[in-house]
Amino acid sequence: MCKMIPFLDLKKINEQHRKKIDLAIEKVLESGQYLLGKSLEKFEQEFAVYCGTKYAVGAANGLDALDLIIKAYEFSKDDEIIVPANTYIASILAISKNDCRPILVEPDINNYLLDPDLIEEKITKKTKAIMVVHLYGRVTEMRKILDLAKKYKLKVIEDAAQAHGATYNDKKVGNLGDVSGFSFYPSKNLGCLGDGGAITTNDEGLADKMRALRNYGSHIKYHNVYKGINSRLDEIQAAILSVKLPHLDDENEKRMAIANYYLNNITNKKIVLPSAPPQKKSHVWHVFVIRTKERENLQQYLAENNIQTSIHYPIPPHKQKAYQEWNHLSLPITEKIHQEVLSLPMSPVLSLKEAEKIVHVINKW
């Protein structure tokens, strides 16, 4: 029987770094300090340098990173934040949990990212920010968005949870807007061995405020300046991320090689391939997403041929029960994407032989 090609083999990815991870964990255990210690400080400095920003602030997860950003800006109740309609729900949860209004804008069907040409018509006197989401590891077209933000005095928040290391005009995501939120969920391009997140910014005051907000609103123990939350990237996860960060660019290059092979060799006419990045942009292919009107049939066919796939994401946010007030909305581009997308295996440990099999099987479908 043929061996299943997994959608993502996390054990194999982390096994490459096993010895250094073991040593890093042992060092944290021996230190006796497990929160807000030297390992976190070290990783925050390293990640800020990597992204090209002055500051990085660790958080417990990617949702909390976005939550902390919006808390720190202290927007008023019902202030509006523009966000792509086809994002993962975490982007929207961070907005609504801070009593702000998510304003859903359709994506560009060609790249699945926020369509800059549809933003201005959604801007009102209550609009305070534009949240761009670098979905699937693809970089949003930022020039028009930054121009709009300047024109209307809006903040630009990057949801970079899936795009560690991607670049736009030679600048890394995390350093394209005013502030950015990252996730280090295990499946991310830079993933820890549990939950983790971080915020990057060049705004010293904002970074300082978010450090307090993540720690019950306190800079000094028992002295609470803000109504904060408990959201700290722990020492063990920070130490693991410091081990893996130096390998991120190499692993992204391996993802790019797999993506290029898919793009150049999948020829089945029933499949819509993702667009390749234009000049001066690099996508890091967190996932490789194709579209087809016969998704269920294709997914079943691939499973029968021992190829595991996933769907990112089957239900758009405005059709979720959690947001029943939006269920009546018609967002045809978003709905088309969510009905047709299928993610193929993609990781830095996927072999060329496995990629060749995937392509061969898809082309025979």
Side-chain angles (χ1 to χ4, degrees), residues 252-313:
N252 282 342
E253 288 288 340
K254 291 174 182 175
R255 289 174 179 270
M256 292 175 195
I258 295 295
N260 286 334
Y261 184 80
Y262 284 157
L263 290 171
N264 292 327
N265 292 281
I266 293 174
T267 56
N268 192 311
K269 300 299 183 185
K270 292 193 283 187
I271 288 170
V272 179
L273 291 169
S275 59
Q279 283 188 330
K280 296 201 172 180
K281 285 172 74 173
S282 74
H283 302 327
V284 292
W285 304 102
H286 169 59
V287 286
F288 189 93
V289 176
I290 61 173
R291 289 197 349 258
T292 177
K293 293 179 180 179
E294 301 175 47
R295 178 173 68 193
E296 286 69 26
N297 289 340
L298 176 58
Q299 188 170 40
Q300 183 179 345
Y301 165 78
L302 290 172
E304 289 168 356
N305 282 274
N306 298 300
I307 297 167
Q308 189 180 52
T309 57
S310 187
I311 299 173
H312 296 86
Y313 300 95

Side-chain angles (χ1 to χ4, degrees), residues 32-138:
Q33 185 169 12
Y34 309 127
L35 287 170
L36 300 180
K38 291 182 178 178
S39 294
L40 175 60
E41 184 179 344
K42 178 176 180 287
F43 174 69
E44 286 177 335
Q45 291 172 351
E46 292 168 346
F47 194 61
V49 169
Y50 178 81
C51 293
T53 58
K54 293 179 181 177
Y55 310 102
V57 179
N61 54 68
L63 173 56
D64 281 1
L66 295 174
D67 180 23
L68 285 164
I69 289 168
I70 298 170
K71 279 189 190 322
Y73 278 131
E74 295 186 14
F75 298 132
S76 298
K77 181 178 171 61
D78 291 329
D79 277 346
E80 297 172 353
I81 299 177
I82 288 169
V83 64
N86 65 315
T87 185
Y88 180 58
I89 202 166
S91 316
I92 291 167
L93 287 171
I95 298 169
S96 60
K97 74 186 295 192
N98 282 285
D99 293 324
C100 292
R101 288 188 62 214
I103 303 300
L104 306 181
V105 174
E106 289 265 59
D108 183 333
I109 190 66
N110 296 306
N111 58 30
Y112 314 130
L113 303 171
L114 183 61
D115 189 337
D117 295 329
L118 300 180
I119 294 173
E120 191 164 17
E121 65 190 48
K122 297 287 189 176
I123 295 174
T124 72
K125 290 180 180 179
K126 298 199 71 117
T127 307
K128 292 297 187 290
I130 301 169
M131 182 184 288
V132 300
V133 181
H134 304 302
L135 195 67
Y136 307 151
R138 303 175 66 85

Side-chain angles (χ1 to χ4, degrees), residues 9 59 84 123 140 149 173 180 221 232 245 250 298 365:
D9 191 339
I123 295 174
T140 304
V173 301
S180 306
K221 197 170 186 179
R232 300 170 295 206
L245 180 59
D250 285 343
L298 176 58
W365 177 57

Side-chain angles (χ1 to χ4, degrees), residues 198-250:
I199 302 136
T200 56
T201 185
N202 291 306
D203 186 329
E204 182 179 11
L206 191 68
D208 192 54
K209 187 174 182 179
M210 290 186 293
R211 287 194 187 97
L213 283 168
R214 73 179 176 187
N215 189 36
Y216 300 98
S218 172
H219 289 295
I220 302 169
K221 197 170 186 179
Y222 305 131
H223 293 259
N224 303 86
V225 184
Y226 310 106
K227 295 176 183 177
I229 62 174
N230 173 16
S231 180
R232 300 170 295 206
L233 180 62
D234 70 68
E235 288 290 283
I236 286 179
Q237 300 303 340
I240 291 166
L241 290 165
S242 283
V243 168
K244 297 181 72 176
L245 180 59
H247 304 279
L248 177 57
D249 286 344
D250 285 343

